[in-house]
Amino acid sequence: QKVDIGTQLGKFFEQLHSIKDYGDIKAETPMEQVEEYQDMYQKDKGLLGVYFTESERMLIDRFFTEEVPKCMAGSGELVFCHGDLDYNNTLVDDKNQVGVIDFGDAKLYDRAQDFRGMDDETLREAMMKAYGGSAVINKAAAEATSKMIDVLNLLYCIGNRNAAEETGYVQRIRARFFG
């Protein structure tokens, strides 16, 4: 089921990213994205002390300041992207037909942007294969920023006192960063 869903999403994004007539839509370079993500992280990173030791927080901090910029720098041409694909913006019916909703963050990004929010390895691999594989998508950028999004989502949950989701993000961060 995951492979089928991932394949449909990969083919959808291959078509979406080929759109050339998108009007006056804003472009965001990979480095502008890095700065935006780093600002979000810096603003709330102190909240991580609730769940992580000082040495763990230092590793997460180093990841944000060193790894994310490396992975995203010059990762490809800017194309029209959904911008916020994750499980909340993906609909699947009882016949495994996939729909994508909420294009509020759509703009010009590096094409890997639409592969970052899907943290399931099987699903993301199927998406990338259907799209054209690692020759087209920077897998390291997609995986690194997927880890980054987990941290940002955890900070959001802590800041909004959403304890129900915090535990899941903490477990994923531990597995992905220290595991």
Side-chain angles (χ1 to χ4, degrees):
Q1 182 180 14
K2 289 180 185 180
V3 171
D4 181 41
I5 293 168
T7 299
Q8 289 180 61
L9 286 168
K11 289 179 181 179
F12 170 77
F13 284 115
E14 183 179 33
Q15 290 178 348
L16 181 70
H17 295 168
S18 71
I19 294 173
K20 299 296 181 208
D21 185 14
Y22 37 74
D24 267 348
I25 200 150
K26 182 184 182 308
E28 186 164 296
T29 67
M31 290 319 294
E32 288 172 326
Q33 285 180 271
V34 168
E35 289 173 14
E36 179 182 340
Y37 292 141
Q38 286 177 331
D39 287 347
M40 292 166 62
Y41 170 72
Q42 290 297 327
K43 182 177 103 204
D44 292 327
K45 72 180 185 177
L47 298 173
L48 293 176
V50 172
Y51 292 106
F52 300 100
T53 66
E54 185 176 344
S55 61
E56 289 172 330
R57 291 191 315 269
M58 287 174 60
L59 287 171
I60 293 170
D61 200 60
R62 190 172 323 130
F63 170 78
F64 267 86
T65 58
E66 296 174 15
E67 294 303 313
V68 171
K70 250 192 289 187
C71 288
M72 291 182 69
S75 52
E77 72 173 304
L78 301 180
V79 297
F80 183 68
C81 289
H82 178 275
D84 186 29
L85 182 73
D86 63 14
Y87 301 105
N88 295 319
N89 293 329
T90 307
L91 304 174
V92 181
D93 69 13
D94 58 353
K95 294 179 182 161
N96 282 341
Q97 295 298 306
V98 178
V100 176
I101 61 171
D102 185 7
F103 283 77
D105 290 321
K107 58 181 150 183
L108 299 177
Y109 292 104
D110 170 72
R111 68 184 70 245
Q113 175 70 24
D114 283 332
F115 294 81
R116 294 176 178 145
M118 295 303 203
D119 59 355
D120 183 278
E121 183 83 18
T122 302
L123 185 72
R124 191 171 50 232
E125 287 293 324
M127 287 173 65
M128 291 175 68
K129 183 177 179 185
Y131 190 91
S134 59
V136 179
I137 298 296
N138 182 331
K139 184 177 178 178
E143 289 177 358
T145 52
S146 177
K147 286 171 57 174
M148 177 193 62
I149 288 168
D150 279 346
V151 174
L152 295 176
N153 284 339
L154 173 61
L155 290 172
Y156 177 82
C157 289
I158 294 170
N160 289 287
R161 293 176 172 56
N162 186 346
E165 290 190 39
E166 288 175 27
T167 304
Y169 284 118
V170 170
Q171 290 171 347
R172 284 210 320 252
I173 291 165
R174 286 198 182 287
R176 296 175 89 186
F177 279 84
F178 317 118

